[in-house]
């Protein structure tokens, strides 16, 4: 069969060329806009780093790298050290993740596998609403409601339980103030819980049903299905959610400021008051008098930036290794 040769009229060819020209122009414009957006992000990030470095230069010039390992923070004598805020930031974030990660993953598994259908959506919405509550509300609630509860019930119980246990007695010693690093860790755990739960639930839903059904068919229990099928299949997504929550915990300001006690000291006890980098900056930046005082606070911001960068870089490296092992 021979196909009849068709030709385009002059008007049709002109119209087609105009359409192709318009599509080519819109494609070039779209590519330029996306490139400009990517470059703008890099420019903003570079500008932020540069401004922090310039602002922190007087502090590091005056104290050197000893600024990182000095506990003293005395605006009167202009002696500043970042050890206490760094320590408080890492300890409170560790406590928060220690609580929020297992609880968030268990909630996500319950919502995807065990929860009755009529309750699944209301519970999920309630969990996600926690992410929309302003941090200052968490701080007020923590100071006036949760801290008194911790002071009356939780801290005395911990002190009494571990007072004769080596190592742990120093971790849970001191008077029950109510406020302190443990209370701040609890508040942070509540704040990062929705992020971990939401992301874990979404990736758990993505597990093919045939894998779970086959495992149940072999006689495995619910725990074995979770341990050997769901968690290995979704570990990359779960780690991503955990890192997102950790980034929120490291940089949280107002809620922690209300309940941590704002004391520039390093204590082995997690019940003692302390401070974090964000809380120190929020508390003292408006009162900073003198270039060295202001520079020391900016240096704290630079340190927090690098801590967050290191954590996210480590997370990306971990995900890359997992992807390589998975093939």
């Amino acid at each position: 069969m021979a196909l009849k040769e068709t030709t385009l009229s002059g008007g049709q060819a002109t119209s087609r060329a105009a359409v192709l020209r318009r599509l080519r122009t819109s494609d070039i414009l779209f590519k330029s806009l996306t490139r400009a957006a990517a470059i703008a992000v890099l420019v903003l990030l570079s500008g932020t780093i540069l401004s922090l470095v310039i602002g922190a230069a007087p502090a590091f010039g005056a104290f050197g790298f000893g600024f990182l390992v000095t506990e003293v923070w005395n605006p009167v004598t202009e002696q500043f050290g970042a050890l206490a805020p760094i320590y408080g930031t890492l300890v409170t974030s560790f406590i928060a993740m220690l609580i929020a990660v297992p609880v968030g993953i268990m909630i996500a598994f319950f919502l995807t596998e065990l929860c009755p259908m009529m309750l699944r959506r209301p519970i999920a919405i309630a969990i996600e609403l926690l992410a929309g509550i302003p941090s200052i509300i968490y701080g007020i609630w923590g100071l006036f409601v949760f801290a008194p509860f911790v002071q009356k019930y939780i801290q005395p119980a911990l002190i009494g339980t571990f007072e004769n246990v080596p190592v742990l007695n120093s971790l849970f010693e001191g008077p029950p103030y109510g406020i302190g690093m443990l209370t701040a860790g609890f508040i942070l755990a509540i704040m990062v819980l929705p992020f971990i739960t939401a992301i874990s639930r979404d990736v758990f839903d993505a597990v093919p049903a045939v894998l779970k059904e086959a495992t149940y068919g072999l006689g495995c229990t619910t725990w074995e299905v979770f341990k050997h099928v769901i968690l290995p299949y979704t570990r990359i997504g779960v780690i991503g959610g955990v890192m997102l929550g950790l980034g929120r915990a490291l940089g949280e300001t107002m809620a922690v400021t209300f309940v941590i006690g704002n004391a520039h000291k390093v204590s082995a006890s997690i019940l003692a008051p302390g401070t974090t980098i964000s809380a120190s900056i929020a508390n003292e930046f408006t009162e900073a008098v003198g270039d060295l005082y202001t520079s020391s606070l900016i240096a704290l911001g630079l340190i927090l930036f690098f801590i967050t960068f290191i954590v996210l870089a480590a997370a990306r490296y971990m995900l890359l290794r997992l992807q390589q092992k998975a093939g």
Side-chain angles (χ1 to χ4, degrees), residues 18-198:
V19 171
L20 292 175
R21 193 182 308 112
R22 187 167 60 251
L23 292 175
R24 189 181 303 109
T25 302
S26 63
D27 186 60
I28 294 173
L29 179 62
F30 177 72
K31 186 183 298 184
S32 300
L33 288 174
T34 54
R35 183 186 294 113
I39 294 174
V41 171
L42 295 177
V43 170
L44 289 173
L45 183 61
S46 302
T48 301
I49 297 173
L50 183 62
S51 62
L52 288 174
V53 170
I54 293 174
F60 282 109
F63 306 113
F65 286 100
F67 180 76
L68 301 175
V69 295
T70 302
E71 183 181 352
V72 177
W73 187 274
N74 193 336
V76 177
T77 60
E78 291 195 329
Q79 295 295 318
F80 301 103
L83 181 61
I86 293 173
Y87 175 77
T89 299
L90 297 178
V91 170
T92 54
S93 299
F94 177 78
I95 294 173
M97 303 312 294
L98 192 64
I99 298 171
V101 170
V103 174
I105 292 176
M106 287 190 291
I107 293 175
F109 181 72
F110 174 76
L111 291 176
T112 54
E113 300 296 327
L114 303 175
C115 183
M117 290 300 299
M118 62 181 298
L119 296 178
R120 185 171 298 181
R121 186 165 183 79
I123 295 176
I125 293 175
I127 295 295
E128 291 174 358
L129 283 176
L130 292 175
I133 300 176
S135 61
I136 195 170
I137 302 300
Y138 281 110
I140 294 173
W141 174 79
L143 180 63
F144 292 107
V145 178
F146 188 67
F149 174 80
V150 172
Q151 181 183 24
K152 186 175 181 180
Y153 298 104
I154 297 180
Q155 290 185 346
L158 291 174
I159 294 171
T161 302
F162 297 106
E163 62 180 349
N164 296 319
V165 180
V167 180
L168 293 180
N169 58 356
S170 60
L171 195 62
F172 300 100
E173 69 176 356
Y177 294 111
I179 59 175
M181 289 187 289
L182 179 63
T183 306
F186 274 119
I187 297 297
L188 285 177
I190 297 173
M191 296 182 69
V192 304
L193 184 64
F195 298 95
I196 298 174
T197 301

Side-chain angles (χ1 to χ4, degrees), residues 212-298:
K212 295 182 285 187
E213 292 171 358
T215 311
Y216 281 122
L218 292 175
C220 293
T221 63
T222 303
W223 163 248
E224 290 172 331
V225 171
F226 173 73
K227 180 180 178 181
H228 297 293
V229 176
I230 295 178
L231 203 55
Y233 190 88
T234 61
R235 61 183 181 272
I236 295 176
V238 171
I239 292 174
V242 170
M243 291 302 113
L244 178 64
L246 179 57
R248 172 70 187 275
L250 287 170
E252 180 52 44
T253 304
M254 293 310 301
V256 175
T257 304
F258 273 86
V259 298
I260 197 170
N262 302 304
H264 281 273
K265 64 178 183 179
V266 176
S267 175
S269 175
I270 62 175
L271 306 183
T275 189
T276 64
I277 294 175
S278 300
S280 297
I281 296 173
N283 274 327
E284 303 184 34
F285 201 85
T286 56
E287 303 174 359
V289 178
D291 294 338
L292 189 58
Y293 193 179
T294 304
S295 178
S296 298
L297 293 173
I298 296 176

